[in-house]
């Protein structure tokens, strides 16, 4: 069976599958334990180490719960399981299921993506007026460095450090401004913000906007002048080439020229973004001016929201005024038909004609159907029983009916349940093998035993993965266990049933009835559970 390209694409994102399952919180905590261990330079963790790393309030009482979570994460590709042979003290320990787990590359990448996602959701941003002052300082430093061109070539180290600090502060300013304006618009729209919190927050928010707008007006113009001075006579071009040459100094042999060209293009793009942010061009406003306009427009929008909230909180329902308005509408109605329509629209009091429907009513409707378009005034009226009109109920008083004795039916059901239990027990006893045997040695099976065998075989094959030669599975009700081992001799098995013969590749099989009385399970040297 071949998979479609879309299925193959989805398979590449299985490390994110643990986010949409019922125990997603446990899986996230388990992956968090591995990330915390990586910070301590611990590579492998055992199940008991993971349990100890979980918060006490979220720590499962059973270690098997964590083991199942670890195995699921291994199936999804988040973790890798390796046999744990470090604590083997006997031959029997070799055959016990012991694994140590570590993060895979895909699992670590998924957790990094989730951390970025969580950080972006919780980020509100800020309007950094301090960053504007820092940008002015760095631009002045670049002017001083550019002035050294008259005495000789500027210092590449100073140039690179000044440009790096300038672009770093600018990128932080632009990113935080975008995040802040987005969160501000959500605040204005009252998405996810409580009214009381908004009213307490609006005064400080308006003062914050006004202070930033004032700094942006004063410092934005100064930054634009400094950018213009640096661009005169291509002063900034020389500085950008020096910074690119210094970055390309550590390039691999043979890539120095191309590395310097790529670095120069990156610096040119950064400077162009900085200039476009503060300097307007023909047909294009600067980002600083756009930001200033959006911030100025946000203040009246905030005040309008406050006004709407105050009106909503101060508004009262005046029933007497409503009734006076309704009375005026009745007085202004042109005729009685309009007044009847107004009455129905205002109070919704409609006559109830179909109070009950019985067999006689249904027969009468079938014999004399009435179209749905027939007006109620022209349709046959509904005749109501005098008792219903008088008492409001059709119920007839009388002696309570006797409770029906269903002991015979219960006895019959109990006998059927006991018979089914005996048949299922016999089927389990028929399938149970004394040790390992071949499928071909099972012989003939009755329908019930064969059906149980097919369920066990299906459970075992469902756990089979490419490259596996043996597997162990338990039935859904936990009463049977099957161990299946593939053979390489090419033999085939035939199991006879009253309905036909079941054929397929022969396997070694061991079927254990887990419900046998007095059974105790232990692990022997062969690695299989014995009683």
């Amino acid at each position: 069976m071949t998979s479609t390209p879309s299925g193959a694409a989805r398979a590449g994102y299985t490390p994110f599958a643990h986010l949409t399952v019922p125990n997603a919180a446990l899986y996230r905590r388990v992956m968090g334990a591995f990330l915390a261990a990586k910070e301590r330079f611990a590579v492998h963790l055992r199940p008991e180490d993971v349990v100890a790393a979980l918060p006490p309030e979220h720590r499962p009482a059973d270690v098997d719960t964590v083991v199942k979570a670890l195995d699921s994460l291994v199936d999804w590709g988040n973790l890798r399981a390796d046999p744990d042979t470090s604590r083997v003290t006997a031959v029997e320990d070799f055959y016990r299921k012991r694994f140590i787990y570590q993060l895979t590359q895909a699992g670590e990448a998924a957790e990094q993506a989730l951390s970025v996602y969580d950080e972006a959701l919780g980020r509100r941003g800020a309007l950094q007026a301090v960053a504007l002052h820092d940008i002015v300082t760095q631009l002045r430093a670049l002017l001083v460095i550019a002035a050294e061109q008259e005495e000789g070539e500027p210092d590449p180290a100073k140039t690179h450090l000044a440009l790096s600090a300038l672009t770093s502060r600018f990128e932080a300013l632009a990113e935080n401004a975008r995040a802040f304006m987005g969160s501000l618009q959500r605040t204005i729209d009252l998405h996810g913000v409580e009214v009381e919190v908004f009213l307490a927050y609006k005064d400080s928010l308006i003062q914050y906007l006004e202070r930033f707008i004032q700094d942006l007006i004063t410092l934005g113009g100064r930054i634009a002048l400094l950018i213009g001075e640096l661009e005169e006579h291509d002063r900034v071009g020389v500085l950008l080439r020096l910074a690119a040459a210094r970055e390309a100094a550590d390039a691999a042999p043979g890539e120095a020229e191309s590395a310097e060209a790529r670095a120069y293009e990156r610096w040119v793009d950064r400077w162009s973004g900085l200039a476009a942010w503060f300097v307007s061009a023909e047909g294009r406003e600067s980002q600083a001016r756009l930001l200033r306009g959006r911030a100025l427009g946000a203040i009246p929008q905030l005040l309008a929201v406050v006004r709407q909230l105050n009106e909503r909180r101060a508004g009262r329902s005046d029933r007497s005024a409503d009734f006076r308005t309704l009375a005026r509408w009745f007085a202004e109605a042109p005729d009685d038909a309009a007044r009847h329509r107004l009455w129905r629209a205002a109070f919704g009091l409609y006559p109830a004609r179909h109070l009950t429907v019985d067999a006689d009513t249904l027969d009468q409707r079938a014999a004399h159907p009435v179209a749905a378009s027939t007006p109620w005034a022209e349709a046959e009226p509904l005749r109501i029983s005098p008792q219903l009109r008088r008492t409001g109920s059709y119920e007839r008083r009388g002696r309570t009916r006797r409770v029906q004795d269903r002991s015979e039916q219960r006895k019959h059901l109990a006998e059927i349940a006991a018979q089914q239990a005996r048949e299922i027990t016999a089927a389990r006893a028929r399938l149970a093998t004394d040790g390992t045997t071949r499928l071909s040695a099972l012989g003939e099976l009755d329908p019930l035993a064969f059906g149980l065998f097919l369920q066990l075989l299906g459970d075992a094959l469902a756990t089979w993965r490419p490259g596996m030669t043996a597997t162990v599975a338990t039935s859904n009700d936990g009463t049977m266990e099957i161990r299946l081992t593939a053979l390489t001799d090419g033999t085939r098995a035939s199991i006879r049933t009253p309905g036909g013969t079941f054929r397929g590749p022969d396997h070694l099989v061991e079927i254990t009835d887990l419900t046998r009385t007095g059974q105790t399970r232990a692990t022997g040297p062969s690695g299989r559970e014995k009683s």
Side-chain angles (χ1 to χ4, degrees):
M1 181 177 179
T2 59
S3 60
T4 61
S6 59
R10 288 194 298 268
Y13 298 97
T14 52
F16 294 95
H18 66 289
L19 302 176
T20 57
V21 294
N23 292 327
L26 175 60
Y27 294 128
R28 290 300 305 277
R29 296 189 191 101
V30 170
M31 294 300 295
F34 279 91
L35 290 177
K38 184 184 175 185
E39 296 294 330
R40 302 190 304 270
F41 305 102
V43 179
H44 296 91
L45 291 181
R46 296 182 175 87
E48 52 266 31
D49 299 332
V50 177
V51 173
L54 294 177
E57 62 273 15
H58 300 297
R59 187 177 298 162
D62 190 2
V63 182
D64 292 339
T65 304
V66 176
V67 172
K68 291 179 181 178
L70 292 171
D71 292 340
S72 298
L73 291 169
V74 170
D75 294 336
W76 291 322
N78 300 79
L79 301 176
R80 193 185 78 186
D82 297 317
D84 184 9
T85 59
S86 60
R87 295 182 295 174
V88 173
T89 58
V91 177
E92 291 82 0
D93 293 337
F94 247 125
Y95 297 96
R96 289 197 180 104
K97 183 180 178 182
R98 295 178 182 273
F99 291 103
I100 53 177
Y101 302 85
Q102 73 175 87
L103 276 173
T104 62
Q105 185 178 5
E108 185 176 356
E111 291 303 310
Q112 291 176 354
L114 292 173
S115 64
V116 173
Y117 175 79
D118 293 336
E119 181 181 357
L121 284 182
R123 184 176 184 182
R124 298 198 61 182
L127 296 176
Q128 298 175 323
V130 177
L132 295 172
H133 292 275
D134 295 341
I135 290 174
V136 171
T137 302
Q138 296 301 328
L139 288 174
R140 287 176 175 172
L142 286 174
L143 278 176
V144 173
I145 295 173
E148 296 176 2
Q149 296 182 27
E150 300 175 0
E151 302 175 0
E153 186 173 336
D155 187 355
K158 292 182 180 179
T159 303
H160 184 261
L161 290 176
L163 283 172
S164 298
L166 173 65
T167 55
S168 176
R169 293 300 286 161
F170 164 68
E171 291 172 357
L173 170 67
E175 183 62 27
N176 278 278
R178 285 192 292 268
F180 179 82
M181 294 308 296
S183 63
L184 176 61
Q185 187 60 49
R186 288 189 292 271
T187 303
I188 293 175
D189 295 340
L190 292 181
H191 290 167
V193 180
E194 296 181 2
V195 175
E196 299 296 336
V197 176
F198 177 80
L199 293 176
Y201 177 60
K202 57 95 178 176
D203 290 333
S204 59
L205 179 61
I206 292 176
Q207 294 176 4
Y208 182 77
L209 288 173
E210 291 176 344
R211 184 172 63 253
F212 177 78
I213 292 169
Q214 182 178 0
D215 291 337
L216 186 61
I217 292 174
T218 56
L219 296 178
R222 193 180 308 172
I223 291 173
L225 292 176
L226 292 173
I227 292 175
E229 292 181 20
L230 282 169
E231 290 182 345
E232 289 180 357
H233 308 295
D234 197 25
R235 293 179 180 178
V236 70
V238 177
L239 300 179
L240 296 179
R241 291 187 184 90
L242 288 175
R246 190 168 188 269
E247 279 189 359
D250 295 331
E255 297 181 0
E257 296 181 0
S258 60
E260 183 175 350
R262 291 194 299 269
Y264 178 72
E265 291 178 0
R266 288 195 299 270
W267 280 111
V268 169
D269 292 338
R270 294 171 185 171
W271 180 262
S272 299
L274 173 65
W277 223 83
F278 292 97
V279 180
S280 300
E282 184 178 356
R284 177 188 59 80
E285 287 187 325
S286 65
Q287 294 293 322
R289 179 170 294 181
L290 292 175
L291 176 62
R292 186 169 67 245
R294 290 292 303 276
L296 284 171
I299 294 177
Q301 291 180 14
L302 286 170
L303 296 177
V305 171
V306 173
R307 184 166 55 253
Q308 293 175 4
L309 291 176
N310 289 333
E311 292 175 356
R312 187 187 310 169
R313 298 173 71 188
R316 294 183 176 88
S317 177
D318 190 349
R319 184 170 298 178
S320 60
D322 294 340
F323 277 117
R324 284 194 298 269
T325 302
L326 184 60
R328 186 174 66 253
W329 289 350
F330 272 107
E332 295 174 353
D335 50 28
D336 289 343
R339 281 185 280 271
H340 281 295
R341 288 196 299 270
L342 179 59
W343 174 269
R344 288 194 296 269
F347 299 101
L349 299 178
Y350 303 98
R353 296 177 61 87
H354 299 81
L355 299 180
T356 183
V357 176
D358 52 15
D360 296 337
T361 304
L362 293 176
D363 294 340
Q364 184 178 1
R365 289 180 181 177
H368 304 285
V370 179
S373 59
T374 304
W376 284 48
E378 300 177 4
E380 183 180 356
L382 180 68
R383 291 172 174 80
I384 301 175
S385 168
Q387 180 182 357
L388 177 62
R389 183 182 296 276
R390 184 176 61 257
T391 64
S393 175
Y394 271 126
E395 183 180 358
R396 293 179 175 83
R397 304 297 179 181
R399 192 172 65 178
T400 306
R401 296 179 59 184
R402 296 181 57 186
V403 178
Q404 187 175 358
D405 185 10
R406 301 186 182 274
S407 57
E408 292 296 330
Q409 290 87 339
R410 288 197 296 269
K411 180 179 178 181
H412 179 64
L413 292 176
E415 292 176 353
I416 293 176
Q419 178 65 23
Q420 291 177 349
R422 287 192 296 269
E423 292 176 353
I424 293 175
T425 302
R428 285 200 297 262
R430 171 65 181 85
L431 288 178
T433 60
D434 187 10
T436 303
T437 185
R438 287 175 173 262
L439 284 177
S440 55
L442 291 179
E444 185 174 355
L445 299 177
D446 59 83
L448 187 59
F450 182 67
L452 184 58
F453 167 73
L454 287 181
Q455 293 179 7
L456 284 172
L457 186 61
D459 293 336
L461 294 179
T463 63
W464 203 279
R465 298 291 184 271
M468 294 177 59
T469 59
T471 186
V472 181
T474 306
S475 60
N476 293 332
D477 57 0
T479 59
M480 300 290 291
E481 181 183 78
I482 181 172
R483 294 174 179 267
L484 198 64
T485 305
L487 295 174
T488 58
D489 55 4
T491 57
R492 298 183 64 82
S494 297
I495 300 176
R496 298 183 303 278
T497 68
T501 303
F502 177 80
R503 293 185 177 88
D506 204 0
H507 287 70
L508 291 178
V509 63
E510 180 182 2
I511 301 176
T512 306
D513 184 1
L514 303 179
T515 62
R516 283 185 295 177
T517 305
Q519 180 183 14
T520 59
R521 303 175 64 185
T523 304
S526 63
R528 62 181 178 85
E529 297 173 349
K530 64 179 183 178
S531 59

